[in-house]
Amino acid sequence: MGKIFVVATPIGNLNDISKRAISVLENCSLILAEDTRHSLKLLNHLNIKNTLMSYHKFNERERSEYIIDKIFNEDIDVALISDAGTPCIQDPGFMLISTARKKNIEVISIPGPSALLSALSVCGFKVDEFTFYGFLPREKSDRYKKLACIKNKSDKVFVLYESPKRIKDLLLDITKLFGNSEICVCSDISKIYERYYFGNVRDVYDEILKNDKSELGEYVAVVNNLEYIEIEEDQISIEALIMDEMVKENISLKEALISVSIKHNIGKNDCYKASLKIKEILQNK
């Protein structure tokens, strides 16, 4: 029976494609591409003339069924590529791979370039764990709500994709919700005009604002959420966090305990007990 090969292709520099990826593309009878016009440039560069078929989010369901039948009936190998990078990460492919797995068709990964992993490798943050959210909603209010949900999850490091037209608005929203956390923003990775911005969110925003070519190339943003603090015995106390919040934000004890609970992912009961202790300390002074 034929196989499906999930093939990573360059995200910029064409020399990043592996010898194994070229060999697979040469030997597969059918190559599925998100945008055939875009992928044809790569295949022409590699002098590969195999059959190219469109496979995108608008025809994914019907094409998946057609391709699975073709693999069974004609015993052919099929390659899946995206416009750039590793397929099935914020790209079409899920339906095909899921169906193939259920039909016991072998699916093989041909690893290679990935904007997500490339950005993580150069961000300079400790990445022993991270959360990937991909592209946020386009509408400003929906994007802000999603970021608020991310904030409540207290991810230490999280990664977002964003279009060049919305990157500035995204950074402003991050500043509002995550303070001046550290961020690494990458654009056009491995291309001629690749750009890397590193620093606190406000400084990165100012740097991008100065760049008259900032609205070119998609962005990957890696956020190091400095507001997330795990509360352990040898770290700062909840009482100290609440007092610090009261002074910095000029708010009441009740408001501060709610704010600390949300910002640092601490249970409301723990914050309430800490507030009682603060009251007791102040009364005894």
Side-chain angles (χ1 to χ4, degrees):
M1 186 189 300
K3 304 177 182 67
I4 296 177
F5 294 87
V6 181
V7 184
T9 56
I11 56 178
N13 194 316
L14 295 181
N15 290 324
D16 289 339
I17 194 164
S18 69
K19 291 181 179 180
R20 187 181 177 207
I22 295 173
S23 177
V24 167
L25 292 174
E26 287 175 335
N27 289 288
C28 283
S29 302
L30 179 62
I31 300 172
L32 306 176
E34 188 176 359
D35 184 335
T36 54
R37 294 166 300 178
H38 180 88
S39 297
L40 190 59
K41 296 176 185 177
L42 173 65
L43 297 179
N44 285 339
H45 173 78
L46 299 172
N47 198 30
I48 295 174
K49 306 299 182 183
N50 296 355
T51 302
L52 189 63
M53 178 182 290
S54 66
Y55 181 90
H56 46 70
K57 63 181 180 180
F58 300 110
N59 68 6
E60 191 170 7
R61 186 178 298 279
E62 62 184 59
R63 279 286 158 88
S64 294
E65 295 174 0
Y66 171 79
I67 293 157
I68 294 298
D69 288 342
K70 200 170 182 64
I71 291 172
F72 271 112
N73 297 327
E74 300 180 23
D75 191 26
I76 63 169
D77 289 337
V78 175
L80 172 67
I81 62 176
S82 62
D83 285 349
T86 302
C88 300
I89 301 176
Q90 287 282 290
D91 291 319
F94 158 74
M95 288 185 184
L96 177 63
I97 303 307
S98 177
T99 304
R101 290 292 187 198
K102 292 171 184 175
K103 299 284 187 180
N104 292 318
I105 295 174
E106 189 173 2
V107 180
I108 299 171
S109 170
I110 308 299
S114 164
L116 168 63
L117 296 181
S118 295
L120 284 168
S121 71
V122 299
C123 69
F125 306 144
K126 185 180 179 182
V127 189
D128 47 359
E129 60 180 68
F130 69 92
T131 307
F132 175 60
Y133 291 100
F135 286 100
L136 298 187
R138 292 186 177 189
E139 292 297 324
K140 183 175 178 61
S141 60
D142 293 336
R143 181 178 64 244
Y144 194 85
K145 287 177 184 176
K146 180 64 178 179
L147 281 171
C149 290
I150 294 172
K151 179 181 176 65
N152 289 335
K153 293 179 181 178
S154 299
D155 297 313
K156 183 66 173 66
V157 174
F158 61 92
V159 187
L160 306 169
Y161 284 170
E162 190 52 277
S163 79
K165 295 190 181 297
R166 291 187 292 274
I167 185 63
K168 296 169 191 172
D169 289 338
L170 173 67
L171 293 176
L172 289 176
D173 286 342
I174 290 174
T175 302
K176 293 174 185 175
L177 286 163
F178 296 91
N180 219 7
S181 292
E182 289 182 313
I183 192 169
C184 178
V185 176
C186 313
S187 179
D188 282 336
I189 298 172
S190 86
K191 296 180 181 178
I192 296 175
Y193 299 109
E194 63 185 337
R195 302 181 298 281
Y196 299 92
Y197 305 92
F198 178 85
N200 60 55
V201 185
R202 176 59 68 175
D203 287 345
V204 168
Y205 172 81
D206 290 340
E207 284 296 311
I208 290 177
L209 201 62
K210 294 174 187 175
N211 187 346
D212 59 0
K213 298 186 184 301
S214 63
E215 293 194 358
L216 298 173
E218 290 186 343
Y219 286 82
V220 185
V222 185
V223 182
N224 192 26
N225 184 7
L226 299 183
E227 291 192 0
Y228 176 55
I229 302 173
E230 293 184 13
I231 304 302
E232 297 177 356
E233 290 182 0
D234 60 343
Q235 291 182 312
I236 188 169
S237 68
I238 303 175
E239 289 82 3
L241 288 172
I242 293 174
M243 291 294 291
D244 184 62
E245 191 74 5
M246 288 175 64
V247 173
K248 282 184 177 179
E249 303 297 332
N250 191 26
I251 56 179
S252 68
L253 179 60
K254 183 178 180 181
E255 291 171 325
L257 75 88
I258 295 172
S259 178
V260 167
S261 174
I262 295 172
K263 279 187 177 181
H264 302 289
N265 197 29
I266 303 171
K268 288 184 179 179
N269 286 338
D270 291 333
C271 287
Y272 178 69
K273 290 176 183 177
S275 71
L276 294 179
K277 188 173 180 181
I278 291 172
K279 285 182 179 180
E280 183 181 342
I281 292 171
L282 294 175
Q283 287 174 353
N284 292 331
K285 289 295 183 181

